[in-house]
Amino acid sequence: MTATTARNRMLGHVITAEQFDRDLLDVLFARATALAGVRDDRLAHRIMATLFYEPSTRTRLSFESAMLRLGGAVIGTEAARTFSSAIKGETLEDTVRMVSTYADLILLRHDEAGAAARAAEVASVPVVNAGDGPGEHPTQALLDLYTIERELGHVEGVRVAFCGDLRFGRTARSLALLLALYPGVRLAFVAPPVIQVGGDILSRLEARGVECRLAEQLTDVIDDVDVVYQTRVQKERFTDPLEYEQARTAIRIDGAIMRQLPATAIVMHPLPRVDEIAPEVDSDPRAAYFRQAANGVAIRMALLEMLLA
Ligand code: ASP
Ligand code: CP
């Protein structure tokens, strides 16, 4: 697929990882590699609006950086729950209708699953899902997959252990759906029952022929992995404090775990981390999470170019 065909197919919204296919991913990753480090004005006079109803460091700032590196402009509200007219009772739909007339693209983070799809229904410009509650985080999945390809040199046949909060964590869900596009991928979901992955995702993966297994301890699968994808327990999504306590310290990666991890495997994490990866792990060359976060700028430049150029 050429970059132009890909661009034509991308016109529209980015709501779920399931809208991507291999051809589109190949074009996007090639563009990300070509755009890394670029600063020009190909998106001059284009405006991105960021509407964030939930906190963010990486997603908002790497999208803003990507837009500015390509010569575009950014407007936005980073605490939309309190600093936009949402506090006066305005609906998401009305806000999105209005902002569609102020900007060429809306980047939306919201605390409800399905919010990005709702916004896309009424928007007259592309809506990009920057995380919708426990739903999905498709652009994080793009940068995660790009990181796996760059770190390991391939995605086919890769063995990934997802760890931590697989019940509320949206990044693991979106990445698992993207990995399902690659033959021979094997996935392990490592978590105590209270935060184990939902049956909905498992059945979607199994319907696509992905080999999945469940475990409670990382040590049960550690000999058989290329990627450990650790995640934060999503404290803000628990309604039962007892369940949160059961989940909180479930899986921690420290020096002892790193000694058992194969020499060629990597550790990823969408960040922010709290205490699920000990700081002593950071200096290990297999700790890929800061390189992973840095890849977010190039991936988001490629995505913005496809949506807006
Ligand atoms: N930053 C990621 C997200 O927004 C992961 C996390 O918050 O734990 O989904
Ligand atoms: N990975 C991620 O989405 O980080 P933020 O929540 O800081 O945007």
Side-chain angles (χ1 to χ4, degrees):
M1 192 193 307
T2 66
T4 312
T5 325
R7 204 170 293 145
N8 291 339
R9 288 200 18 216
M10 273 296 294
L11 290 178
H13 310 284
V14 178
I15 306 299
T16 164
E18 286 184 295
Q19 70 193 82
F20 291 89
D21 61 25
R22 286 285 300 274
D23 287 345
L24 202 46
L25 292 171
D26 288 347
V27 173
L28 189 74
F29 292 175
R31 288 307 300 152
T33 301
L35 287 169
V38 163
R39 282 170 198 258
D40 65 20
D41 59 1
R42 73 189 65 198
L43 295 186
H45 313 300
R46 307 299 241 150
I47 299 172
M48 174 177 76
T50 57
L51 282 180
F52 275 59
Y53 291 78
E54 269 192 347
S56 166
T57 299
R58 279 146 291 271
T59 310
R60 188 171 64 83
L61 295 180
S62 64
F63 259 109
E64 292 193 1
S65 177
M67 192 66 183
L68 296 175
R69 284 166 194 240
L70 296 177
V74 181
I75 57 174
T77 172
E78 63 175 286
R81 189 63 69 202
T82 42
F83 289 129
S84 78
S85 285
I87 194 107
K88 304 178 191 169
E90 186 165 51
T91 63
L92 175 67
E93 281 79 359
D94 280 358
T95 303
V96 166
R97 276 189 193 99
M98 291 313 311
V99 177
S100 286
T101 67
Y102 305 152
D104 302 301
L105 179 142
I106 296 174
L107 178 66
L108 175 70
R109 171 167 288 191
H110 202 277
D111 50 336
E112 288 166 27
R118 272 170 54 208
E121 287 283 311
V122 296
S124 51
V125 297
V127 171
V128 176
N129 182 1
D132 60 336
E136 278 210 49
H137 195 344
T139 72
Q140 176 73 41
L142 294 173
L143 78 91
D144 292 344
L145 191 68
Y146 181 66
T147 300
I148 293 174
E149 193 176 89
R150 283 173 74 88
E151 295 278 332
L152 303 181
H154 63 98
V155 181
E156 279 90 356
V158 86
R159 298 163 298 170
V160 181
F162 288 101
C163 305
D165 189 346
L166 310 178
R167 173 181 172 193
F168 296 122
R170 54 198 174 195
T171 67
R173 186 194 318 277
S174 291
L175 178 57
L177 292 170
L178 280 192
L179 285 166
L181 295 170
Y182 293 79
V185 161
R186 284 186 281 154
L187 306 181
F189 296 94
V190 185
V194 68
I195 45 171
Q196 190 46 283
V197 69
D200 60 326
I201 285 289
L202 276 183
S203 51
R204 269 140 88 186
L205 294 170
E206 279 162 0
R208 282 170 216 179
V210 182
E211 193 183 310
C212 298
R213 65 173 160 158
L214 304 187
E216 284 201 34
Q217 299 295 331
L218 182 52
T219 44
D220 296 342
V221 301
I222 201 159
D223 294 335
D224 195 24
V225 293
D226 302 303
V227 178
V228 173
Y229 189 96
Q230 174 69 309
T231 62
R232 175 181 69 91
V233 175
Q234 309 279 296
K235 183 177 185 186
E236 64 274 30
R237 309 219 191 279
F238 284 80
T239 47
D240 179 346
L242 207 69
E243 283 194 341
Y244 172 66
E245 272 313 305
Q246 287 168 356
R248 200 171 60 87
T249 54
I251 290 153
R252 178 173 155 88
I253 298 177
D254 56 13
I257 289 284
M258 293 306 282
R259 284 191 283 282
Q260 294 179 60
L261 187 72
T264 52
I266 57 168
V267 178
M268 295 176 63
H269 190 307
L271 304 178
R273 66 136 160 224
V274 186
D275 50 14
E276 64 279 0
I277 299 182
E280 65 186 351
V281 176
D282 298 356
S283 57
D284 190 304
R286 296 168 295 172
Y289 31 91
F290 294 121
R291 299 191 292 273
Q292 174 188 354
N295 286 334
V297 175
I299 279 290
R300 286 161 174 153
M301 288 168 85
L303 201 58
L304 290 171
E305 182 194 56
M306 274 194 189
L307 292 165
L308 291 174

